Amino acid sequence: SSGINAEYGGSWVTAVAAFRNTECFVSGSNGGRVKVWACAENYLSLACILEVEVRGTVNGICVDRERIVCAVGREHKWGRWWVDREAKNGVVVVPVRVEDVVDR
């Protein structure tokens, strides 16, 4: 766990992408989490409908109808506020069908 998480009580959202023609979007954080969110309760709140753990900071996300592609690194793309020395820079592909996620 990084010092920034302990000091401020949580992870930063570092990447966001939306599924086209849906009410769902994906967020990634420096805490190594990728979450799929859906609008809930007449658009007054958000519900986390899927969570995937990755090692490192999520620096970018792209989505299509069949997968979530995440650029993951040891540190944030714009600075070295925290470094996860055990993480490796790379790409993580999460296979997910939009229809399965949206229907939850």
Side-chain angles (χ1 to χ4, degrees):
S1 177
S2 66
I4 196 98
N5 289 347
E7 185 176 347
Y8 293 105
S11 299
W12 292 5
V13 173
T14 54
V16 177
F19 289 107
R20 189 179 301 243
N21 298 323
T22 70
E23 297 170 352
C24 297
F25 68 95
V26 182
S27 68
S29 72
N30 70 305
R33 301 215 189 285
V34 176
K35 295 181 181 183
V36 178
W37 300 88
C39 293
E41 300 179 33
N42 297 324
Y43 303 102
L44 297 176
S45 65
L46 298 172
C48 180
I49 58 175
L50 178 67
E51 184 173 345
V52 178
E53 192 165 331
V54 298
R55 185 69 189 185
T57 299
V58 181
N59 285 314
I61 299 175
C62 292
V63 297
D64 65 15
R65 306 297 289 180
E66 299 177 355
R67 67 192 61 87
I68 302 168
V69 180
C70 304
V72 180
R74 295 175 62 176
E75 57 201 27
H76 190 276
K77 63 184 171 186
W78 290 324
R80 291 187 172 174
W81 296 290
W82 55 87
V83 176
D84 183 346
R85 300 209 185 282
E86 296 178 18
K88 295 188 186 270
N89 296 333
V91 175
V92 175
V93 178
V94 180
V96 60
R97 289 175 21 102
V98 166
E99 291 79 14
D100 295 342
V101 172
V102 173
D103 291 339
R104 288 186 178 196

